[in-house]
């Protein structure tokens, strides 16, 4: 019971169970971050003065160490996945809000003027023109947010083994099995690369309208 | 009819973009707003579909204030073409064109059928229907822009410098296409440009605006050229307005000479009989011009094609204007213009002197013929 994929029983999960847990803890916060970022970014586009303070706040939040978040949150949400995911969701804002703002702003002014002139109201303009054209920028932001989230989940180990694959790092120490640490690092990295590839695939499917040479990025 | 009534646009910072502008825009004709940058021409255009709201004054469409109908209803009843086309880059060409019909609640199929029909009307291959805008050239994109504006068959078309961003050859093609489409559809078109040549070529009426958004002159193009209202308009028209005005005089009346035209296979005696002219126009056996030759060279026997002088640019009497005829004469080293028929066969030659007399006659006859402009 000391192979590469043999997970100590204190983690109460198989190898694939840990992977599933890890993905959930990494992706749900990004999804939540996206749902918050979309309206926030739209407000920033609509009211230009709002963007610098919003950007400042998200940056400051990003600078708060996750441990500090845990200390505050643990009184409310306990030693749970939620306590891990809330800081991750907050961190994703620093990437997602600017990505969406830039994406929406990248819509050429003549395209917007044409949309207005054809009688598309503000809601249609946003949903049918600005958002679709911002998709490449939004997905670029999602890629960064997702990969960083996947790597950050491990820190959850500190609050009672809520770090999914990160827990293996701790177990590697207490059971003196360095291979578990290697497993943790390699699996996390592979997960990040695979999820990133999936996002690129989604981008390609959603944007058949992009010039191929630009899409190759 | 669109009636712009004492309209002023003043921005919060005090800038006046349009200053008490009044214009009566005739139905089923092209009215061009032209002027230097900052003259308020685009602002004026955008007030017609309420993308800009006037500070003072009103705009009437068929006698009704445009503020009386919902803004998006108004906009959907006016096609809009913009510089760089402003296509939706994430939609196919067909879906771009179908935008307004879809907004008006047409079924997807009906809207797409209409879009395909319009692609043909503006001279686009329907094979492009499933392409995306980035796969089209600038000129093609602009045609899509025109098709998109026409999709719901609006009575009014607003065009904001639509052809400014394409190269001159493509621009000329688009202008000719617009005139052709206009002949077929008879829309009320308001066209904004900073290019006075474009204004003169396209406009039935031309409004020249000066910086600060004031109307300098509102007249048909021929009148603009012959009688500019003030030094500003005169300056804006440029140095060669006299020459350009010739565009409005037909060349049909020019008296052509056929004696100096000889075929390349003409015999020596035939050449000798034409000896009076200083130069002879040599044509190929089908009658298409090859170049000018001096009678002495020609009578010497075989006609050497390489020694012929270039014949400039021929004109088609009746179709082309006096300007084209004069241009042909000026370009030709012999000072004679070559007249050809629709198939390019030489029908005669005419000298600069004869053209000059025609110009003088046209001036004394007074009003130029607007039709010849095209």
């Amino acid at each position: 019971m000391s192979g590469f994929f043999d997970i100590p029983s204190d983690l109460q999960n198989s190898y694939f169970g840990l992977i599933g847990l890890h993905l959930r803890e990494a992706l749900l916060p990004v999804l939540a971050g996206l749902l918050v970022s979309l309206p926030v970014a739209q407000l920033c586009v609509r009211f230009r003065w709002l963007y610098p303070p919003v950007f400042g706040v998200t940056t400051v939040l990003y600078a708060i160490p996750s441990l500090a978040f845990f200390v505050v949150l643990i009184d409310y949400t306990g030693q749970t996945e939620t306590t891990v995911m809330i800081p991750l969701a907050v961190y994703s804002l620093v990437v997602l809000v600017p990505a969406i703002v830039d994406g929406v702003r990248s819509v050429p002014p003549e395209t917007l003027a044409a949309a207005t002139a054809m009688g598309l109201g503000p809601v249609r303009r946003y949903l049918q023109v600005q958002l679709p054209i911002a998709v490449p920028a939004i997905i670029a932001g999602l890629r960064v947010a997702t990969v960083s989230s996947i790597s950050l989940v491990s820190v959850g180990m500190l609050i009672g083994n809520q770090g999914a694959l990160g827990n293996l790092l701790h177990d590697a120490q207490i059971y003196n099995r360095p291979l578990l640490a290697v497993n943790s690092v390699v699996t996390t990295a592979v997960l990040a690369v695979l999820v990133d590839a999936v996002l690129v695939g989604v981008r390609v499917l959603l944007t058949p309208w992009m010039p191929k040479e630009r899409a190759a990025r | 009819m669109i009636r712009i009534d004492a309209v002023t646009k003043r921005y919060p910072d005090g800038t006046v973009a349009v200053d008490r502008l009044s214009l009566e825009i005739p139905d089923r004709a092209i009215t061009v707003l032209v002027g230097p940058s900052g003259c308020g021409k685009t602002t004026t255009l955008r007030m017609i579909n309420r993308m800009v709201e006037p500070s003072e004054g009103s705009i009437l469409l068929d006698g009704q204030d445009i503020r009386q109908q919902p803004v998006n209803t108004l906009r959907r009843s006016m096609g809009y073409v913009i510089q760089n086309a402003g296509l939706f880059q994430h939609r196919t060409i067909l879906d771009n064109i179908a935008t307004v019909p879809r907004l008006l609640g047409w079924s997807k199929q009906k809207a797409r059928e209409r879009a395909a029909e319009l692609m043909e009307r503006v001279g686009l291959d329907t094979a492009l229907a499933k392409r995306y805008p980035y796969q089209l050239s600038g000129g093609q994109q602009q045609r899509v822009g025109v098709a998109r504006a026409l999709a719901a068959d609006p009575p009014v078309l607003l065009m904001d410098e639509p052809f400014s961003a394409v190269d001159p050859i493509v621009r000329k093609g688009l202008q000719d296409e617009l005139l052709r489409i206009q002949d077929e559809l008879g829309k009320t078109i308001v066209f904004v440009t900073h290019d006075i040549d474009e204004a003169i070529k396209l406009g039935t009426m031309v409004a020249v605006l000066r910086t600060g958004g004031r109307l300098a002159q509102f007249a048909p193009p021929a009148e603009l050229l012959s009688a500019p209202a003030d030094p500003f308009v005169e300056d804006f028209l440029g140095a060669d307005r006299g020459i350009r005005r010739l565009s409005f005089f037909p060349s049909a009346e020019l008296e052509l000479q056929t004696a100096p035209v000889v075929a390349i296979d003409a015999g020596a005696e035939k050449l000798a009989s034409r000896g009076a002219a200083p130069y002879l126009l040599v044509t190929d056996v089908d009658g298409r011009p090859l170049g000018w030759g001096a009678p002495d060279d020609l009578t010497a026997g075989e006609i050497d094609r390489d020694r012929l002088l270039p014949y400039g640019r021929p004109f088609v009497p009746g179709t082309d204007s006096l300007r084209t005829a004069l241009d042909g004469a000026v370009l030709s080293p012999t000072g004679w213009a070559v007249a050809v028929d629709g198939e390019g066969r030489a029908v005669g030659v005419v000298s600069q002197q004869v053209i000059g007399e025609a110009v003088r006659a046209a001036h004394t006859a007074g009003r130029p013929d607007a039709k010849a402009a095209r």
Side-chain angles (χ1 to χ4, degrees), chain A residues 106-111 113-121 124-125 128-129 132-133 208-214, chain B residues 46 49 51 71-72 75-76 78 80 82-91 96 99-100 103 132-134 148-149:
Chain A
S106 74
V107 177
E110 63 267 16
T111 303
T116 309
M118 281 190 287
L120 277 84
R124 276 206 170 93
R125 244 180 0 245
Q128 297 184 6
V129 180
I133 292 177
W209 48 269
M210 272 183 82
K212 292 290 171 281
E213 61 271 28
R214 263 170 66 201
Chain B
R46 289 185 170 198
N49 71 352
M51 287 170 77
V71 64
N72 284 334
R75 287 175 184 164
R76 287 170 203 171
M78 295 180 169
Y80 190 84
I82 197 169
Q83 190 175 358
N84 295 320
L87 298 184
F88 300 143
Q89 51 185 296
H90 60 296
R91 290 197 182 157
N96 260 285
T99 305
V100 178
L103 283 173
Y132 288 96
Y134 82 91
R148 185 174 65 173

Side-chain angles (χ1 to χ4, degrees), chain B residues 310-334:
Chain B
Y311 60 92
R313 206 164 59 125
F315 71 99
V316 182
T319 306
D320 284 327
S321 65
L322 271 188
R323 182 181 178 180
T324 315
L326 180 63
D327 187 57
V330 173
L331 275 177
S332 169
T334 60

Side-chain angles (χ1 to χ4, degrees), chain B residues 207-237:
Chain B
V208 184
L209 302 176
R210 68 172 89 237
T211 315
R214 304 232 307 278
L215 183 65
Q217 189 169 8
F218 186 45
E223 189 183 320
L224 212 60
L225 288 167
S226 60
D230 59 23
F232 168 79
V233 178
E234 191 170 2
D235 192 43
F236 193 72
L237 286 165

Side-chain angles (χ1 to χ4, degrees), chain A residues 125-185:
Chain A
R125 244 180 0 245
Y126 179 63
L127 293 178
Q128 297 184 6
V129 180
Q130 293 178 301
L131 209 51
I133 292 177
V135 159
I138 294 172
I139 292 194
L142 276 178
R143 288 173 64 188
V144 177
T146 307
V147 168
S148 97
S149 187
I150 287 174
S151 81
L152 283 172
V153 163
S154 305
V155 80
M157 167 196 84
L158 294 170
I159 52 162
N161 276 356
Q162 296 296 352
L165 288 165
N167 299 340
L168 292 174
L169 296 170
H170 186 232
D171 279 15
Q173 279 183 359
I174 59 175
Y175 297 117
N176 192 24
R177 284 173 57 189
L179 267 187
L180 285 182
V182 176
N183 183 334
S184 169
V185 172

Side-chain angles (χ1 to χ4, degrees), chain B residues 46-312:
Chain B
R46 289 185 170 198
M47 286 195 285
I48 297 174
N49 71 352
R50 296 185 57 195
M51 287 170 77
V52 175
E53 297 285 357
S55 316
E56 287 163 31
S58 58
I59 298 176
L60 305 178
L61 175 64
D62 297 326
Q64 198 198 31
D65 194 310
I66 55 169
R67 283 170 290 203
Q68 278 174 10
Q69 51 177 321
V71 64
N72 284 334
T73 311
L74 176 81
R75 287 175 184 164
R76 287 170 203 171
S77 74
M78 295 180 169
Y80 190 84
V81 189
I82 197 169
Q83 190 175 358
N84 295 320
L87 298 184
F88 300 143
Q89 51 185 296
H90 60 296
R91 290 197 182 157
T92 61
I93 301 311
L94 207 61
D95 287 343
N96 260 285
I97 300 172
T99 305
V100 178
R102 292 287 288 147
L103 283 173
L104 293 172
W106 298 22
S107 74
K108 199 159 201 162
Q109 196 193 341
K110 190 178 164 213
R112 286 190 167 167
E113 277 168 14
R114 170 75 178 152
E117 185 188 314
L118 275 162
M119 286 186 75
E120 284 174 19
R121 167 142 272 156
V122 301
L124 281 168
D125 187 346
T126 44
L128 300 173
K130 296 280 175 227
R131 301 270 182 91
Y132 288 96
Y134 82 91
Q135 294 167 304
L136 269 58
S137 70
Q140 286 173 323
Q141 290 192 21
Q142 206 49 263
R143 283 171 198 264
V144 178
V146 173
R148 185 174 65 173
L150 290 169
D153 202 20
V156 176
L157 212 53
L158 306 177
M159 308 185 80
D160 187 3
E161 305 217 17
F163 308 146
S164 300
V166 292
D167 68 65
I169 292 170
V170 174
R171 188 183 311 143
K172 184 180 179 302
L174 289 168
Q175 290 168 344
D176 294 340
E177 197 83 1
L178 178 67
L179 289 171
R180 186 184 61 73
I181 293 170
Q182 174 64 358
D183 275 349
E184 291 169 14
L185 301 181
K187 299 290 180 189
T188 301
I189 299 180
V190 187
F191 190 107
V192 163
T193 181
H194 60 258
D195 178 356
I196 185 69
D197 289 318
E198 187 168 65
I200 284 168
K201 177 171 178 181
L202 298 178
T204 312
M205 289 294 282
V206 177
V208 184
L209 302 176
R210 68 172 89 237
T211 315
R214 304 232 307 278
L215 183 65
Q217 189 169 8
F218 186 45
E223 189 183 320
L224 212 60
L225 288 167
S226 60
D230 59 23
F232 168 79
V233 178
E234 191 170 2
D235 192 43
F236 193 72
L237 286 165
D240 54 351
R241 68 183 167 88
I243 301 284
R244 278 192 277 155
R245 185 170 171 242
L246 295 181
S247 302
F248 295 90
F249 298 117
S251 61
E253 310 288 294
L254 288 174
E255 203 172 306
L256 303 177
Q257 291 190 41
T258 51
V261 182
V262 293
I264 192 159
D265 56 354
E269 65 278 12
K270 203 164 182 189
L271 287 173
S273 71
R274 313 278 168 103
Y279 284 99
L280 296 178
L281 180 76
V282 181
T283 68
D284 65 12
V285 287
D286 293 326
R288 290 187 177 77
L290 294 171
W292 294 101
D296 293 345
D297 286 350
L298 299 182
T299 47
E302 277 293 285
I303 295 172
D304 182 359
R305 283 181 183 227
D306 295 336
R307 293 192 58 188
L308 296 176
L309 296 169
Y311 60 92

